[in-house]
Coordinates of all heavy atoms in Angstrom, one line a residue:
G1 N 0.8 -1.2 0.0 CA 0.0 0.0 0.0 C 0.8 1.3 0.0 O 0.5 2.2 -0.7
A2 N 2.0 1.2 0.7 CA 2.8 2.4 0.8 C 3.5 2.6 -0.6 O 3.6 3.8 -1.0 CB 3.9 2.2 1.9
L3 N 3.9 1.6 -1.3 CA 4.5 1.7 -2.6 C 3.4 2.2 -3.6 O 3.7 3.1 -4.4 CB 5.0 0.4 -3.1 CG 5.6 0.4 -4.5 CD1 6.8 1.3 -4.6 CD2 6.0 -1.1 -4.9
D4 N 2.2 1.7 -3.5 CA 1.1 2.2 -4.3 C 0.9 3.7 -4.1 O 0.7 4.5 -5.1 CB -0.2 1.4 -4.0 CG -1.3 1.7 -5.0 OD1 -1.9 2.8 -4.8 OD2 -1.5 0.9 -5.9
D5 N 0.8 4.1 -2.9 CA 0.6 5.5 -2.6 C 1.8 6.4 -3.1 O 1.5 7.5 -3.6 CB 0.5 5.7 -1.0 CG 0.3 7.1 -0.6 OD1 -0.8 7.7 -1.0 OD2 1.2 7.7 0.0
L6 N 3.0 5.9 -2.9 CA 4.2 6.7 -3.3 C 4.2 6.9 -4.8 O 4.3 8.0 -5.3 CB 5.5 6.0 -2.9 CG 6.8 6.5 -3.4 CD1 7.0 8.0 -3.0 CD2 7.9 5.6 -2.9
L7 N 3.9 5.8 -5.6 CA 3.9 5.9 -7.0 C 2.8 6.7 -7.5 O 2.9 7.5 -8.5 CB 3.9 4.5 -7.6 CG 5.1 3.6 -7.4 CD1 4.9 2.2 -7.9 CD2 6.3 4.2 -8.2
S8 N 1.6 6.6 -6.8 CA 0.4 7.4 -7.2 C 0.7 8.9 -7.1 O 0.4 9.6 -8.1 CB -0.7 7.0 -6.3 OG -1.8 7.8 -6.6
R9 N 1.3 9.3 -6.0 CA 1.6 10.7 -5.9 C 2.7 11.2 -6.7 O 2.7 12.3 -7.2 CB 1.9 11.0 -4.4 CG 0.6 10.8 -3.5 CD 0.8 11.5 -2.2 NE 1.6 10.6 -1.3 CZ 2.2 11.1 -0.2 NH1 2.0 12.3 0.2 NH2 2.9 10.2 0.6
L10 N 3.8 10.4 -6.9 CA 4.9 10.8 -7.8 C 4.3 11.0 -9.3 O 4.7 11.9 -10.0 CB 6.0 9.7 -7.8 CG 6.9 9.6 -6.6 CD1 7.8 8.4 -6.7 CD2 7.7 10.9 -6.5
S11 N 3.4 10.1 -9.7 CA 2.8 10.2 -11.0 C 1.9 11.4 -11.1 O 2.0 12.2 -12.1 CB 2.0 8.9 -11.3 OG 1.4 9.1 -12.6
A12 N 1.0 11.6 -10.2 CA 0.0 12.6 -10.3 C 0.6 14.0 -10.0 O 0.2 15.0 -10.7 CB -1.1 12.4 -9.2
L13 N 1.5 14.2 -9.1 CA 2.0 15.5 -8.7 C 3.3 15.9 -9.5 O 3.5 17.1 -9.7 CB 2.3 15.5 -7.2 CG 1.1 15.2 -6.3 CD1 1.6 15.2 -4.8 CD2 0.1 16.3 -6.5
A14 N 4.1 14.9 -9.9 CA 5.4 15.2 -10.5 C 5.5 14.7 -11.9 O 6.6 14.9 -12.5 CB 6.5 14.7 -9.6
G15 N 4.5 14.0 -12.4 CA 4.6 13.4 -13.7 C 5.7 12.4 -13.9 O 6.3 12.4 -15.0
V16 N 6.1 11.7 -12.9 CA 7.2 10.8 -13.0 C 6.9 9.6 -13.9 O 5.9 9.0 -13.8 CB 7.6 10.3 -11.5 CG1 8.6 9.1 -11.6 CG2 8.2 11.4 -10.7
R17 N 7.9 9.4 -14.8 CA 7.7 8.3 -15.8 C 9.0 7.4 -15.8 O 9.0 6.3 -16.4 CB 7.5 8.8 -17.2 CG 6.2 9.6 -17.4 CD 5.0 8.7 -17.2 NE 3.8 9.5 -17.3 CZ 3.1 9.9 -16.2 NH1 3.6 9.6 -15.0 NH2 2.0 10.6 -16.3
R18 N 10.0 7.8 -15.0 CA 11.2 7.0 -14.9 C 11.6 7.0 -13.5 O 11.6 8.0 -12.8 CB 12.3 7.6 -15.8 CG 12.0 7.6 -17.3 CD 12.9 8.6 -18.0 NE 14.3 8.3 -18.0 CZ 15.2 9.1 -18.4 NH1 14.9 10.3 -18.9 NH2 16.5 8.7 -18.4
V19 N 12.1 5.8 -13.0 CA 12.5 5.7 -11.6 C 13.9 4.9 -11.6 O 14.2 4.3 -12.6 CB 11.5 5.0 -10.7 CG1 10.2 5.8 -10.6 CG2 11.3 3.6 -11.2
L20 N 14.6 5.0 -10.5 CA 15.8 4.2 -10.2 C 15.5 3.3 -9.1 O 15.3 3.8 -7.9 CB 17.0 5.1 -9.9 CG 18.3 4.4 -9.7 CD1 18.7 3.7 -11.0 CD2 19.4 5.4 -9.3
A21 N 15.4 2.0 -9.3 CA 15.0 1.0 -8.3 C 16.3 0.5 -7.7 O 17.2 -0.1 -8.4 CB 14.2 -0.1 -8.9
I22 N 16.4 0.6 -6.4 CA 17.6 0.1 -5.6 C 17.1 -0.7 -4.4 O 16.0 -0.5 -4.0 CB 18.5 1.3 -5.2 CG1 17.7 2.3 -4.3 CG2 19.1 2.0 -6.4 CD1 18.6 3.4 -3.8
G23 N 18.0 -1.4 -3.8 CA 17.7 -2.1 -2.6 C 17.6 -1.1 -1.4 O 16.8 -1.2 -0.6
G24 N 18.6 -0.2 -1.4 CA 18.6 0.8 -0.4 C 19.7 0.6 0.6 O 20.3 -0.5 0.7
D25 N 20.0 1.6 1.4 CA 21.1 1.5 2.4 C 20.7 0.8 3.7 O 21.5 0.4 4.5 CB 21.6 2.9 2.7 CG 22.3 3.5 1.5 OD1 22.8 2.7 0.7 OD2 22.3 4.7 1.4
S26 N 19.4 0.7 4.0 CA 19.0 0.0 5.2 C 19.3 -1.4 5.3 O 19.2 -2.2 4.3 CB 17.4 0.2 5.4 OG 17.0 1.5 5.3
E27 N 19.9 -1.9 6.4 CA 20.3 -3.3 6.5 C 19.1 -4.2 6.6 O 19.1 -5.3 6.1 CB 21.1 -3.4 7.8 CG 22.5 -2.8 7.6 CD 23.4 -3.1 8.8 OE1 23.0 -3.9 9.6 OE2 24.5 -2.5 8.9
R28 N 18.0 -3.7 7.2 CA 16.8 -4.6 7.3 C 15.6 -3.9 6.6 O 15.4 -2.7 6.7 CB 16.4 -4.7 8.8 CG 17.6 -5.3 9.6 CD 17.3 -5.3 11.1 NE 16.3 -6.3 11.4 CZ 15.9 -6.6 12.7 NH1 16.4 -5.9 13.7 NH2 15.0 -7.5 12.9
A29 N 14.8 -4.7 5.9 CA 13.7 -4.2 5.2 C 12.5 -3.8 6.2 O 12.3 -4.5 7.1 CB 13.1 -5.3 4.2
E30 N 11.9 -2.7 5.9 CA 10.8 -2.2 6.7 C 9.5 -2.9 6.3 O 8.5 -2.8 7.1 CB 10.6 -0.7 6.5 CG 11.8 0.1 7.1 CD 11.6 1.6 7.0 OE1 10.4 2.0 6.7 OE2 12.6 2.3 7.1
G31 N 9.5 -3.6 5.2 CA 8.3 -4.2 4.7 C 8.6 -5.4 3.9 O 9.6 -6.1 4.1
P32 N 7.7 -5.7 2.8 CA 7.8 -6.9 2.1 C 8.9 -6.9 1.0 O 9.2 -7.9 0.3 CB 6.5 -7.1 1.5 CG 6.0 -5.7 1.3 CD 6.5 -4.9 2.5
F33 N 9.5 -5.7 0.7 CA 10.5 -5.6 -0.4 C 11.9 -5.6 0.2 O 12.2 -4.7 1.0 CB 10.2 -4.3 -1.2 CG 8.8 -4.2 -1.7 CD1 7.9 -3.3 -1.1 CD2 8.4 -5.0 -2.8 CE1 6.6 -3.2 -1.6 CE2 7.1 -4.9 -3.2 CZ 6.2 -4.0 -2.6
N34 N 12.7 -6.5 -0.3 CA 14.1 -6.5 0.1 C 15.1 -6.1 -1.0 O 16.2 -5.8 -0.7 CB 14.4 -8.0 0.6 CG 15.7 -8.0 1.3 OD1 15.9 -7.4 2.3 ND2 16.7 -8.8 0.7
S35 N 14.6 -6.1 -2.2 CA 15.6 -5.8 -3.3 C 14.8 -5.1 -4.5 O 13.6 -5.2 -4.5 CB 16.2 -7.1 -3.8 OG 15.3 -8.0 -4.4
A36 N 15.6 -4.6 -5.4 CA 15.0 -3.8 -6.5 C 14.1 -4.7 -7.4 O 13.1 -4.3 -7.9 CB 16.1 -3.2 -7.3
I37 N 14.5 -6.0 -7.6 CA 13.7 -6.9 -8.5 C 12.3 -7.1 -7.9 O 11.4 -7.2 -8.7 CB 14.4 -8.2 -8.7 CG1 13.8 -9.0 -9.8 CG2 14.4 -9.1 -7.4 CD1 14.5 -10.2 -10.2
E38 N 12.1 -7.0 -6.6 CA 10.8 -7.2 -6.1 C 9.9 -5.9 -6.4 O 8.7 -6.1 -6.6 CB 10.9 -7.4 -4.6 CG 11.5 -8.8 -4.3 CD 11.9 -8.9 -2.8 OE1 11.8 -7.9 -2.1 OE2 12.2 -10.0 -2.4
L39 N 10.5 -4.8 -6.5 CA 9.8 -3.6 -6.9 C 9.3 -3.7 -8.4 O 8.2 -3.4 -8.8 CB 10.6 -2.3 -6.8 CG 11.0 -2.0 -5.3 CD1 11.9 -0.7 -5.4 CD2 9.8 -1.7 -4.4
I40 N 10.3 -4.2 -9.2 CA 10.0 -4.4 -10.6 C 8.9 -5.4 -10.9 O 8.0 -5.2 -11.7 CB 11.3 -4.8 -11.4 CG1 12.3 -3.7 -11.3 CG2 11.0 -5.2 -12.8 CD1 13.7 -4.1 -11.8
E41 N 8.9 -6.5 -10.1 CA 8.0 -7.6 -10.3 C 6.6 -7.3 -9.6 O 5.7 -8.0 -9.8 CB 8.5 -8.9 -9.7 CG 9.7 -9.4 -10.5 CD 10.3 -10.6 -9.9 OE1 10.2 -10.9 -8.7 OE2 11.0 -11.4 -10.7
S42 N 6.5 -6.2 -8.9 CA 5.3 -5.9 -8.2 C 4.1 -5.6 -9.1 O 2.9 -5.7 -8.7 CB 5.5 -4.7 -7.2 OG 5.6 -3.5 -7.9
G43 N 4.4 -5.1 -10.3 CA 3.4 -4.6 -11.2 C 2.9 -3.2 -11.0 O 2.2 -2.7 -11.8

């Protein structure tokens, strides 16, 4: 839901059409995504 909300607002407010997907610097995942490929495969 947080990813859906983030992408929704980036699209609506900033017209974002390109993103850079990374794992991130956090050692532990805050939610269900641990790596960039999971963002890509989320749909």
Side-chain angles (χ1 to χ4, degrees):
L3 178 61
D4 187 282
D5 178 68
L6 172 60
L7 290 170
S8 173
R9 290 194 286 165
L10 285 172
S11 175
L13 299 177
V16 167
R17 296 294 175 263
R18 298 158 65 190
V19 298
L20 182 63
I22 58 174
D25 294 332
S26 303
E27 291 186 6
R28 303 174 71 177
E30 296 182 15
F33 304 106
N34 192 61
S35 64
I37 192 170
E38 293 167 350
L39 297 177
I40 295 170
E41 292 176 336
S42 70

